[in-house]
Every structure is written in structure tokens, then in C-alpha cells.
Amino acid sequence: MVEQPVCESAEMERLVDVYGTGMLRMCCMYLGDVHLAQDAVQDAFIKIYRAWRPIENPAAEKAWVMRITVNVCKDYLRSAWKRKVNLVEQYPELPGFEEPKDGQGRLFQEIMALKPKYKEVILLHYYQQLKVGEIAAVLGAPQSTVSIRLRRARETLKKRLEGGPNEDL
């Protein structure tokens, strides 16, 4: 039986220091709720710990970590609990995810209104600074698919921000 490498506590601390903030941002934007995003990040780190394998290339490591993070967010959005329970409606006094206050609120709203397949490429490219090849690795999709989604998302955002007709992307 092959023994799986153990993720030492120092290595987990490094992963949390290097990727924790970016993972939390990604989850906040993906899920739209700070508290749910914090839970998702914790679940992602548990999955990272369980599936740990040393990766020499920092770009490949980041892609691997973000792939796990995106998949956890997708799991949260697919869960029956998430579909049936809306905490914002039930408890409006609870703090939720705050939109940017620096004039980027409209852009943020338009990004959040995109279909998930377009939203995720925008978030990974612009907020996580991943290249098309890295995004393809994160999503398990061909690079051409990622390029097309990124182009369509940009076109849609441009039209919406310029006040043109809303495409349902």
C-alpha cells in the first residue's frame, strides 16, 4: 500500500498564509455571503489537507488550490439547503457580503449577474490573476473554451455597462 504524503502543520500554515485571503475573496464573490464563504474556505482547506501532494511549481499549486476552492463553492451552490434557505430574507439584520464602495459597485453587480460559467472565468482571471491555461486547469476545461467564455463575459459586461441591451449570459 502506497502511503500518501502528510501535509505538515508548517506546510498548512504556509498554504493558509499564501492562499487564504484569495480563497476567501473568491468564495465571497462566488457565494455572495461572507459567513458561507468562510465555511467554504474551511471546507476547501480540509479537502486540501486530505488530498495533499507536494507541488513544485507555484502556478500549478495555485491552480490546484483554486480548483478545489471553486469546486467547494459549486457544491455549496448545488446543495439542497442553499436552494431552500435564504438567510438574507429570513434574517435581514445579519451582515452579508458588502459590495465595493469605491465606485465599482455597478461592475460588481454586473459580474455577479453573469451566468456561473462566465462569472467564474472573470473572477479567476481578474481577481485571482490566473492565466487562461491556469483557469483551464482549475475548471478542467479546454483553453479554447476558457478563452471563449472570457471573451463573451467581457463583451456582455461591456454592453451592460455602456447601457446596451442586456444579453442573458
Side-chain angles (χ1 to χ4, degrees):
M1 183 170 152
V2 177
E3 192 173 314
Q4 182 169 341
V6 176
C7 186
E8 301 291 331
S9 63
E11 188 65 15
M12 277 307 292
E13 285 181 30
R14 181 189 70 81
L15 292 171
V16 170
D17 288 343
V18 172
Y19 302 113
T21 302
M23 291 169 66
L24 183 60
R25 289 173 123 184
M26 173 64 82
C27 290
C28 281
M29 291 183 173
Y30 217 95
L31 300 172
D33 181 285
V34 174
H35 302 292
L36 196 57
Q38 290 169 340
D39 290 345
V41 170
Q42 288 179 359
D43 286 347
F45 275 119
I46 289 170
K47 288 185 181 214
I48 289 167
Y49 178 79
R50 288 182 179 157
W52 175 247
R53 56 186 167 82
I55 301 173
E56 297 297 321
N57 181 351
E61 182 181 77
K62 182 175 184 177
W64 182 70
V65 168
M66 287 302 158
R67 181 179 193 152
I68 291 172
T69 305
V70 167
N71 286 339
V72 168
C73 289
K74 287 179 179 180
D75 290 345
Y76 272 52
L77 292 174
R78 277 191 292 256
S79 75
W81 185 85
K82 176 71 175 160
R83 286 191 306 251
K84 292 180 182 178
V85 175
N86 186 341
L87 292 177
V88 175
E89 289 176 2
Q90 288 183 349
Y91 303 102
E93 68 276 4
L94 288 177
F97 182 67
E98 294 184 21
E99 293 180 16
K101 295 182 179 16
D102 59 359
Q104 297 295 317
R106 174 129 188 269
L107 174 61
F108 177 79
Q109 288 175 344
E110 294 298 341
I111 290 171
M112 293 295 105
L114 292 171
K115 284 185 179 177
K117 66 182 182 180
Y118 297 115
K119 178 171 58 173
E120 67 190 5
V121 294
I122 291 290
L123 294 176
L124 289 169
H125 185 72
Y126 290 105
Y127 291 92
Q128 296 299 324
Q129 289 84 36
L130 295 179
K131 297 178 181 127
V132 171
E134 295 169 332
I135 296 170
V138 167
L139 300 177
Q143 286 188 21
S144 59
T145 300
V146 171
S147 295
I148 290 169
R149 287 180 184 175
L150 194 56
R151 182 178 47 83
R152 288 180 180 168
R154 286 179 187 143
E155 289 170 357
T156 301
L157 289 171
K158 183 177 178 183
K159 285 180 184 176
R160 288 180 179 180
L161 292 172
E162 290 175 349
N166 281 349
E167 289 186 25
D168 191 24
L169 286 182

Tab-separated table of all heavy atoms in Angstrom, residues 83-134:
chain	number	residue	atom	x	y	z
A	83	ARG	N	-30.431	25.915	-1.784
A	83	ARG	CA	-31.549	26.196	-2.678
A	83	ARG	C	-32.826	26.523	-1.917
A	83	ARG	O	-33.658	27.276	-2.390
A	83	ARG	CB	-31.798	25.016	-3.602
A	83	ARG	CG	-30.769	24.877	-4.704
A	83	ARG	CD	-31.229	23.864	-5.712
A	83	ARG	NE	-31.558	22.598	-5.085
A	83	ARG	CZ	-30.860	21.490	-5.185
A	83	ARG	NH1	-29.775	21.478	-5.899
A	83	ARG	NH2	-31.241	20.386	-4.582
A	84	LYS	N	-32.993	25.952	-0.733
A	84	LYS	CA	-34.238	26.115	0.014
A	84	LYS	C	-34.192	27.222	1.055
A	84	LYS	O	-35.220	27.741	1.439
A	84	LYS	CB	-34.605	24.799	0.711
A	84	LYS	CG	-34.983	23.723	-0.272
A	84	LYS	CD	-35.336	22.446	0.431
A	84	LYS	CE	-35.657	21.383	-0.606
A	84	LYS	NZ	-35.956	20.110	-0.022
A	85	VAL	N	-33.008	27.560	1.538
A	85	VAL	CA	-32.895	28.516	2.636
A	85	VAL	C	-32.201	29.773	2.143
A	85	VAL	O	-31.120	29.725	1.582
A	85	VAL	CB	-32.090	27.911	3.811
A	85	VAL	CG1	-31.867	28.940	4.890
A	85	VAL	CG2	-32.799	26.693	4.357
A	86	ASN	N	-32.840	30.912	2.373
A	86	ASN	CA	-32.238	32.202	2.057
A	86	ASN	C	-32.130	32.982	3.370
A	86	ASN	O	-33.109	33.543	3.840
A	86	ASN	CB	-33.063	32.965	1.034
A	86	ASN	CG	-32.375	34.231	0.579
A	86	ASN	OD1	-31.459	34.737	1.246
A	86	ASN	ND2	-32.790	34.748	-0.555
A	87	LEU	N	-30.937	32.973	3.942
A	87	LEU	CA	-30.747	33.623	5.236
A	87	LEU	C	-30.945	35.130	5.171
A	87	LEU	O	-31.367	35.741	6.140
A	87	LEU	CB	-29.353	33.302	5.776
A	87	LEU	CG	-29.115	31.852	6.173
A	87	LEU	CD1	-27.676	31.664	6.628
A	87	LEU	CD2	-30.073	31.414	7.253
A	88	VAL	N	-30.649	35.723	4.026
A	88	VAL	CA	-30.799	37.174	3.902
A	88	VAL	C	-32.264	37.557	4.044
A	88	VAL	O	-32.598	38.548	4.679
A	88	VAL	CB	-30.216	37.666	2.560
A	88	VAL	CG1	-30.479	39.136	2.356
A	88	VAL	CG2	-28.723	37.370	2.494
A	89	GLU	N	-33.154	36.754	3.465
A	89	GLU	CA	-34.584	37.048	3.587
A	89	GLU	C	-35.092	36.746	4.994
A	89	GLU	O	-35.903	37.470	5.542
A	89	GLU	CB	-35.373	36.233	2.570
A	89	GLU	CG	-35.180	36.702	1.141
A	89	GLU	CD	-35.897	35.812	0.142
A	89	GLU	OE1	-36.586	34.853	0.559
A	89	GLU	OE2	-35.753	36.065	-1.058
A	90	GLN	N	-34.613	35.647	5.588
A	90	GLN	CA	-35.088	35.257	6.915
A	90	GLN	C	-34.541	36.152	8.016
A	90	GLN	O	-35.218	36.429	8.990
A	90	GLN	CB	-34.707	33.807	7.211
A	90	GLN	CG	-35.512	32.814	6.424
A	90	GLN	CD	-35.157	31.387	6.804
A	90	GLN	OE1	-34.182	31.133	7.497
A	90	GLN	NE2	-35.962	30.448	6.334
A	91	TYR	N	-33.289	36.576	7.862
A	91	TYR	CA	-32.632	37.382	8.895
A	91	TYR	C	-31.967	38.593	8.262
A	91	TYR	O	-30.747	38.649	8.119
A	91	TYR	CB	-31.580	36.542	9.636
A	91	TYR	CG	-32.131	35.295	10.253
A	91	TYR	CD1	-31.948	34.055	9.648
A	91	TYR	CD2	-32.848	35.360	11.442
A	91	TYR	CE1	-32.466	32.903	10.224
A	91	TYR	CE2	-33.371	34.213	12.015
A	91	TYR	CZ	-33.178	32.990	11.403
A	91	TYR	OH	-33.693	31.859	11.962
A	92	PRO	N	-32.737	39.605	7.899
A	92	PRO	CA	-32.161	40.767	7.213
A	92	PRO	C	-31.177	41.549	8.080
A	92	PRO	O	-30.368	42.308	7.559
A	92	PRO	CB	-33.377	41.620	6.849
A	92	PRO	CG	-34.479	41.133	7.714
A	92	PRO	CD	-34.176	39.717	8.081
A	93	GLU	N	-31.214	41.355	9.402
A	93	GLU	CA	-30.296	42.091	10.273
A	93	GLU	C	-28.890	41.493	10.276
A	93	GLU	O	-27.944	42.120	10.745
A	93	GLU	CB	-30.837	42.151	11.712
A	93	GLU	CG	-30.869	40.822	12.448
A	93	GLU	CD	-32.118	39.970	12.145
A	93	GLU	OE1	-32.955	40.354	11.312
A	93	GLU	OE2	-32.232	38.904	12.748
A	94	LEU	N	-28.721	40.268	9.739
A	94	LEU	CA	-27.391	39.660	9.684
A	94	LEU	C	-26.556	40.353	8.623
A	94	LEU	O	-27.057	40.685	7.547
A	94	LEU	CB	-27.485	38.172	9.339
A	94	LEU	CG	-28.026	37.252	10.417
A	94	LEU	CD1	-28.114	35.828	9.876
A	94	LEU	CD2	-27.143	37.277	11.644
A	95	PRO	N	-25.270	40.547	8.903
A	95	PRO	CA	-24.421	41.157	7.883
A	95	PRO	C	-24.200	40.181	6.733
A	95	PRO	O	-24.027	38.991	6.953
A	95	PRO	CB	-23.112	41.439	8.624
A	95	PRO	CG	-23.100	40.490	9.758
A	95	PRO	CD	-24.534	40.247	10.128
A	96	GLY	N	-24.240	40.684	5.551
A	96	GLY	CA	-24.000	39.860	4.378
A	96	GLY	C	-22.735	40.327	3.682
A	96	GLY	O	-21.903	41.011	4.264
A	97	PHE	N	-22.622	39.990	2.442
A	97	PHE	CA	-21.460	40.408	1.671
A	97	PHE	C	-21.649	41.851	1.258
A	97	PHE	O	-22.678	42.221	0.714
A	97	PHE	CB	-21.299	39.517	0.446
A	97	PHE	CG	-20.106	39.868	-0.370
A	97	PHE	CD1	-18.840	39.681	0.143
A	97	PHE	CD2	-20.248	40.398	-1.620
A	97	PHE	CE1	-17.730	40.014	-0.612
A	97	PHE	CE2	-19.151	40.725	-2.366
A	97	PHE	CZ	-17.888	40.531	-1.860
A	98	GLU	N	-20.663	42.685	1.538
A	98	GLU	CA	-20.757	44.103	1.203
A	98	GLU	C	-20.159	44.345	-0.171
A	98	GLU	O	-19.074	43.867	-0.484
A	98	GLU	CB	-20.017	44.941	2.241
A	98	GLU	CG	-20.664	44.889	3.599
A	98	GLU	CD	-19.967	45.794	4.591
A	98	GLU	OE1	-19.263	46.724	4.156
A	98	GLU	OE2	-20.122	45.559	5.790
A	99	GLU	N	-20.877	45.109	-0.944
A	99	GLU	CA	-20.386	45.467	-2.259
A	99	GLU	C	-19.288	46.514	-2.124
A	99	GLU	O	-19.255	47.268	-1.161
A	99	GLU	CB	-21.523	46.033	-3.109
A	99	GLU	CG	-22.571	45.005	-3.439
A	99	GLU	CD	-23.687	45.599	-4.274
A	99	GLU	OE1	-23.510	46.697	-4.835
A	99	GLU	OE2	-24.727	44.956	-4.363
A	100	PRO	N	-18.402	46.581	-3.116
A	100	PRO	CA	-17.349	47.589	-3.074
A	100	PRO	C	-17.941	48.984	-3.011
A	100	PRO	O	-18.959	49.272	-3.628
A	100	PRO	CB	-16.597	47.375	-4.395
A	100	PRO	CG	-16.979	46.015	-4.864
A	100	PRO	CD	-18.323	45.720	-4.294
A	101	LYS	N	-17.280	49.865	-2.256
A	101	LYS	CA	-17.775	51.229	-2.086
A	101	LYS	C	-16.945	52.234	-2.888
A	101	LYS	O	-17.086	53.416	-2.726
A	101	LYS	CB	-17.748	51.602	-0.599
A	101	LYS	CG	-18.699	50.772	0.238
A	101	LYS	CD	-18.658	51.217	1.662
A	101	LYS	CE	-19.563	50.516	2.615
A	101	LYS	NZ	-20.179	49.301	2.315
A	102	ASP	N	-16.075	51.754	-3.747
A	102	ASP	CA	-15.162	52.638	-4.462
A	102	ASP	C	-15.623	52.941	-5.893
A	102	ASP	O	-14.831	53.137	-6.770
A	102	ASP	CB	-13.765	52.031	-4.485
A	102	ASP	CG	-13.736	50.658	-5.145
A	102	ASP	OD1	-14.808	50.178	-5.571
A	102	ASP	OD2	-12.651	50.081	-5.234
A	103	GLY	N	-16.923	52.964	-6.125
A	103	GLY	CA	-17.413	53.261	-7.459
A	103	GLY	C	-17.477	52.046	-8.360
A	103	GLY	O	-17.898	52.128	-9.500
A	104	GLN	N	-17.055	50.898	-7.881
A	104	GLN	CA	-17.066	49.686	-8.676
A	104	GLN	C	-18.317	48.846	-8.416
A	104	GLN	O	-18.410	47.721	-8.858
A	104	GLN	CB	-15.812	48.849	-8.365
A	104	GLN	CG	-14.510	49.530	-8.718
A	104	GLN	CD	-14.370	49.760	-10.206
A	104	GLN	OE1	-14.683	48.896	-11.012
A	104	GLN	NE2	-13.903	50.932	-10.589
A	105	GLY	N	-19.272	49.397	-7.685
A	105	GLY	CA	-20.471	48.660	-7.318
A	105	GLY	C	-21.255	48.150	-8.510
A	105	GLY	O	-21.726	47.017	-8.510
A	106	ARG	N	-21.411	48.971	-9.529
A	106	ARG	CA	-22.177	48.552	-10.716
A	106	ARG	C	-21.457	47.434	-11.443
A	106	ARG	O	-22.077	46.452	-11.857
A	106	ARG	CB	-22.388	49.743	-11.637
A	106	ARG	CG	-23.052	49.350	-12.939
A	106	ARG	CD	-24.249	50.186	-13.278
A	106	ARG	NE	-24.932	49.625	-14.427
A	106	ARG	CZ	-24.682	49.958	-15.681
A	106	ARG	NH1	-23.788	50.882	-15.948
A	106	ARG	NH2	-25.337	49.394	-16.672
A	107	LEU	N	-20.148	47.561	-11.595
A	107	LEU	CA	-19.368	46.498	-12.236
A	107	LEU	C	-19.515	45.205	-11.456
A	107	LEU	O	-19.753	44.140	-12.023
A	107	LEU	CB	-17.895	46.892	-12.341
A	107	LEU	CG	-16.949	45.818	-12.872
A	107	LEU	CD1	-17.334	45.402	-14.285
A	107	LEU	CD2	-15.517	46.311	-12.821
A	108	PHE	N	-19.402	45.298	-10.148
A	108	PHE	CA	-19.539	44.126	-9.297
A	108	PHE	C	-20.917	43.489	-9.482
A	108	PHE	O	-21.031	42.267	-9.619
A	108	PHE	CB	-19.317	44.513	-7.834
A	108	PHE	CG	-19.509	43.394	-6.876
A	108	PHE	CD1	-18.510	42.449	-6.696
A	108	PHE	CD2	-20.686	43.262	-6.158
A	108	PHE	CE1	-18.686	41.401	-5.816
A	108	PHE	CE2	-20.871	42.220	-5.279
A	108	PHE	CZ	-19.872	41.278	-5.110
A	109	GLN	N	-21.967	44.287	-9.512
A	109	GLN	CA	-23.326	43.768	-9.693
A	109	GLN	C	-23.466	43.058	-11.035
A	109	GLN	O	-24.097	42.004	-11.128
A	109	GLN	CB	-24.353	44.891	-9.610
A	109	GLN	CG	-24.553	45.422	-8.225
A	109	GLN	CD	-25.489	46.632	-8.210
A	109	GLN	OE1	-25.747	47.246	-9.238
A	109	GLN	NE2	-25.975	46.959	-7.028
A	110	GLU	N	-22.890	43.643	-12.052
A	110	GLU	CA	-22.977	43.027	-13.386
A	110	GLU	C	-22.192	41.716	-13.441
A	110	GLU	O	-22.627	40.763	-14.085
A	110	GLU	CB	-22.492	43.993	-14.469
A	110	GLU	CG	-23.366	45.212	-14.641
A	110	GLU	CD	-24.796	44.904	-15.084
A	110	GLU	OE1	-25.063	43.804	-15.611
A	110	GLU	OE2	-25.657	45.771	-14.892
A	111	ILE	N	-21.050	41.672	-12.782
A	111	ILE	CA	-20.277	40.422	-12.735
A	111	ILE	C	-21.083	39.348	-12.020
A	111	ILE	O	-21.176	38.206	-12.466
A	111	ILE	CB	-18.913	40.631	-12.059
A	111	ILE	CG1	-18.004	41.480	-12.951
A	111	ILE	CG2	-18.244	39.285	-11.755
A	111	ILE	CD1	-16.723	41.928	-12.287
A	112	MET	N	-21.698	39.714	-10.899
A	112	MET	CA	-22.478	38.750	-10.121
A	112	MET	C	-23.730	38.293	-10.866
A	112	MET	O	-24.251	37.218	-10.602
A	112	MET	CB	-22.873	39.340	-8.766
A	112	MET	CG	-21.712	39.587	-7.828
A	112	MET	SD	-20.884	38.075	-7.328
A	112	MET	CE	-19.391	38.122	-8.275
A	113	ALA	N	-24.199	39.093	-11.831
A	113	ALA	CA	-25.397	38.736	-12.597
A	113	ALA	C	-25.089	37.806	-13.768
A	113	ALA	O	-26.016	37.275	-14.390
A	113	ALA	CB	-26.080	40.011	-13.103
A	114	LEU	N	-23.823	37.608	-14.080
A	114	LEU	CA	-23.460	36.712	-15.180
A	114	LEU	C	-23.808	35.272	-14.834
A	114	LEU	O	-23.877	34.896	-13.659
A	114	LEU	CB	-21.956	36.798	-15.465
A	114	LEU	CG	-21.421	38.098	-16.045
A	114	LEU	CD1	-19.898	38.065	-16.059
A	114	LEU	CD2	-21.959	38.339	-17.437
A	115	LYS	N	-23.989	34.448	-15.859
A	115	LYS	CA	-24.168	33.018	-15.638
A	115	LYS	C	-22.903	32.484	-14.966
A	115	LYS	O	-21.799	33.012	-15.195
A	115	LYS	CB	-24.378	32.290	-16.960
A	115	LYS	CG	-25.758	32.476	-17.549
A	115	LYS	CD	-25.919	31.625	-18.786
A	115	LYS	CE	-27.294	31.788	-19.374
A	115	LYS	NZ	-27.446	31.014	-20.612
A	116	PRO	N	-23.027	31.445	-14.166
A	116	PRO	CA	-21.866	30.934	-13.423
A	116	PRO	C	-20.635	30.625	-14.283
A	116	PRO	O	-19.518	30.930	-13.886
A	116	PRO	CB	-22.402	29.667	-12.758
A	116	PRO	CG	-23.859	29.922	-12.598
A	116	PRO	CD	-24.255	30.748	-13.796
A	117	LYS	N	-20.836	30.056	-15.466
A	117	LYS	CA	-19.676	29.699	-16.288
A	117	LYS	C	-18.903	30.928	-16.768
A	117	LYS	O	-17.707	30.861	-17.010
A	117	LYS	CB	-20.077	28.808	-17.464
A	117	LYS	CG	-20.957	29.458	-18.496
A	117	LYS	CD	-21.319	28.441	-19.565
A	117	LYS	CE	-22.156	29.058	-20.660
A	117	LYS	NZ	-22.502	28.056	-21.677
A	118	TYR	N	-19.584	32.071	-16.885
A	118	TYR	CA	-18.910	33.307	-17.271
A	118	TYR	C	-18.370	34.039	-16.042
A	118	TYR	O	-17.297	34.614	-16.085
A	118	TYR	CB	-19.848	34.215	-18.062
A	118	TYR	CG	-20.297	33.584	-19.361
A	118	TYR	CD1	-21.629	33.258	-19.575
A	118	TYR	CD2	-19.386	33.276	-20.359
A	118	TYR	CE1	-22.038	32.656	-20.761
A	118	TYR	CE2	-19.778	32.676	-21.541
A	118	TYR	CZ	-21.108	32.365	-21.733
A	118	TYR	OH	-21.500	31.768	-22.899
A	119	LYS	N	-19.127	33.997	-14.983
A	119	LYS	CA	-18.694	34.656	-13.745
A	119	LYS	C	-17.398	34.040	-13.233
A	119	LYS	O	-16.478	34.751	-12.837
A	119	LYS	CB	-19.799	34.545	-12.688
A	119	LYS	CG	-19.426	35.156	-11.359
A	119	LYS	CD	-20.588	35.246	-10.393
A	119	LYS	CE	-21.231	33.934	-10.094
A	119	LYS	NZ	-22.256	34.006	-9.038
A	120	GLU	N	-17.295	32.713	-13.265
A	120	GLU	CA	-16.112	32.070	-12.703
A	120	GLU	C	-14.846	32.407	-13.480
A	120	GLU	O	-13.792	32.608	-12.885
A	120	GLU	CB	-16.313	30.565	-12.549
A	120	GLU	CG	-16.446	29.789	-13.818
A	120	GLU	CD	-16.885	28.349	-13.594
A	120	GLU	OE1	-17.174	27.973	-12.442
A	120	GLU	OE2	-16.928	27.597	-14.577
A	121	VAL	N	-14.929	32.517	-14.806
A	121	VAL	CA	-13.718	32.865	-15.556
A	121	VAL	C	-13.296	34.301	-15.290
A	121	VAL	O	-12.104	34.601	-15.199
A	121	VAL	CB	-13.843	32.593	-17.076
A	121	VAL	CG1	-13.979	31.118	-17.353
A	121	VAL	CG2	-14.953	33.374	-17.712
A	122	ILE	N	-14.271	35.202	-15.140
A	122	ILE	CA	-13.953	36.598	-14.810
A	122	ILE	C	-13.293	36.671	-13.439
A	122	ILE	O	-12.269	37.337	-13.256
A	122	ILE	CB	-15.223	37.484	-14.852
A	122	ILE	CG1	-15.724	37.650	-16.288
A	122	ILE	CG2	-14.982	38.841	-14.201
A	122	ILE	CD1	-14.857	38.506	-17.187
A	123	LEU	N	-13.878	35.995	-12.455
A	123	LEU	CA	-13.322	36.022	-11.095
A	123	LEU	C	-11.922	35.425	-11.053
A	123	LEU	O	-11.020	35.983	-10.414
A	123	LEU	CB	-14.245	35.278	-10.129
A	123	LEU	CG	-15.617	35.908	-9.890
A	123	LEU	CD1	-16.463	35.017	-8.991
A	123	LEU	CD2	-15.494	37.296	-9.308
A	124	LEU	N	-11.723	34.310	-11.723
A	124	LEU	CA	-10.399	33.679	-11.706
A	124	LEU	C	-9.363	34.518	-12.456
A	124	LEU	O	-8.212	34.609	-12.030
A	124	LEU	CB	-10.475	32.268	-12.300
A	124	LEU	CG	-11.201	31.241	-11.439
A	124	LEU	CD1	-11.462	29.957	-12.235
A	124	LEU	CD2	-10.411	30.929	-10.183
A	125	HIS	N	-9.773	35.131	-13.547
A	125	HIS	CA	-8.814	35.906	-14.346
A	125	HIS	C	-8.468	37.244	-13.704
A	125	HIS	O	-7.291	37.594	-13.560
A	125	HIS	CB	-9.372	36.124	-15.758
A	125	HIS	CG	-8.412	36.813	-16.676
A	125	HIS	ND1	-7.284	36.198	-17.170
A	125	HIS	CD2	-8.405	38.064	-17.186
A	125	HIS	CE1	-6.624	37.045	-17.939
A	125	HIS	NE2	-7.289	38.192	-17.968
A	126	TYR	N	-9.478	37.997	-13.315
A	126	TYR	CA	-9.234	39.352	-12.834
A	126	TYR	C	-9.010	39.446	-11.327
A	126	TYR	O	-8.295	40.324	-10.873
A	126	TYR	CB	-10.375	40.286	-13.249
A	126	TYR	CG	-10.368	40.535	-14.734
A	126	TYR	CD1	-11.302	39.921	-15.554
A	126	TYR	CD2	-9.413	41.345	-15.314
A	126	TYR	CE1	-11.285	40.126	-16.923
A	126	TYR	CE2	-9.386	41.557	-16.678
A	126	TYR	CZ	-10.325	40.946	-17.483
A	126	TYR	OH	-10.297	41.151	-18.826
A	127	TYR	N	-9.627	38.572	-10.568
A	127	TYR	CA	-9.494	38.664	-9.115
A	127	TYR	C	-8.427	37.731	-8.555
A	127	TYR	O	-7.884	37.984	-7.501
A	127	TYR	CB	-10.842	38.415	-8.431
A	127	TYR	CG	-11.811	39.539	-8.680
A	127	TYR	CD1	-12.688	39.508	-9.753
A	127	TYR	CD2	-11.826	40.652	-7.855
A	127	TYR	CE1	-13.558	40.549	-9.991
A	127	TYR	CE2	-12.694	41.704	-8.088
A	127	TYR	CZ	-13.553	41.643	-9.155
A	127	TYR	OH	-14.411	42.692	-9.392
A	128	GLN	N	-8.154	36.643	-9.261
A	128	GLN	CA	-7.114	35.718	-8.811
A	128	GLN	C	-5.872	35.783	-9.704
A	128	GLN	O	-4.910	35.065	-9.480
A	128	GLN	CB	-7.645	34.281	-8.766
A	128	GLN	CG	-8.745	34.077	-7.761
A	128	GLN	CD	-8.301	34.364	-6.344
A	128	GLN	OE1	-7.170	34.087	-5.971
A	128	GLN	NE2	-9.183	34.938	-5.550
A	129	GLN	N	-5.902	36.623	-10.726
A	129	GLN	CA	-4.790	36.831	-11.648
A	129	GLN	C	-4.278	35.533	-12.273
A	129	GLN	O	-3.075	35.332	-12.450
A	129	GLN	CB	-3.611	37.565	-10.980
A	129	GLN	CG	-3.861	39.011	-10.675
A	129	GLN	CD	-4.583	39.210	-9.356
A	129	GLN	OE1	-4.348	38.478	-8.410
A	129	GLN	NE2	-5.469	40.171	-9.297
A	130	LEU	N	-5.188	34.632	-12.607
A	130	LEU	CA	-4.798	33.395	-13.271
A	130	LEU	C	-4.824	33.597	-14.780
A	130	LEU	O	-5.664	34.325	-15.306
A	130	LEU	CB	-5.740	32.251	-12.892
A	130	LEU	CG	-5.743	31.803	-11.435
A	130	LEU	CD1	-6.739	30.674	-11.230
A	130	LEU	CD2	-4.374	31.374	-10.979
A	131	LYS	N	-3.892	32.942	-15.460
A	131	LYS	CA	-3.837	32.991	-16.913
A	131	LYS	C	-4.840	31.981	-17.469
A	131	LYS	O	-5.330	31.109	-16.754
A	131	LYS	CB	-2.429	32.666	-17.385
A	131	LYS	CG	-1.417	33.690	-16.915
A	131	LYS	CD	-0.028	33.312	-17.355
A	131	LYS	CE	0.939	34.355	-16.829
A	131	LYS	NZ	2.036	33.785	-16.091
A	132	VAL	N	-5.110	32.083	-18.763
A	132	VAL	CA	-6.102	31.220	-19.401
A	132	VAL	C	-5.759	29.749	-19.198
A	132	VAL	O	-6.632	28.941	-18.868
A	132	VAL	CB	-6.244	31.564	-20.904
A	132	VAL	CG1	-7.097	30.536	-21.623
A	132	VAL	CG2	-6.836	32.957	-21.071
A	133	GLY	N	-4.504	29.389	-19.345
A	133	GLY	CA	-4.097	27.995	-19.154
A	133	GLY	C	-4.331	27.517	-17.728
A	133	GLY	O	-4.746	26.369	-17.502
A	134	GLU	N	-4.071	28.385	-16.775
A	134	GLU	CA	-4.292	28.031	-15.367
A	134	GLU	C	-5.781	27.912	-15.064
A	134	GLU	O	-6.193	27.023	-14.322
A	134	GLU	CB	-3.646	29.080	-14.459
A	134	GLU	CG	-2.132	29.124	-14.561
A	134	GLU	CD	-1.515	30.328	-13.872
A	134	GLU	OE1	-2.173	31.380	-13.766
A	134	GLU	OE2	-0.358	30.204	-13.439
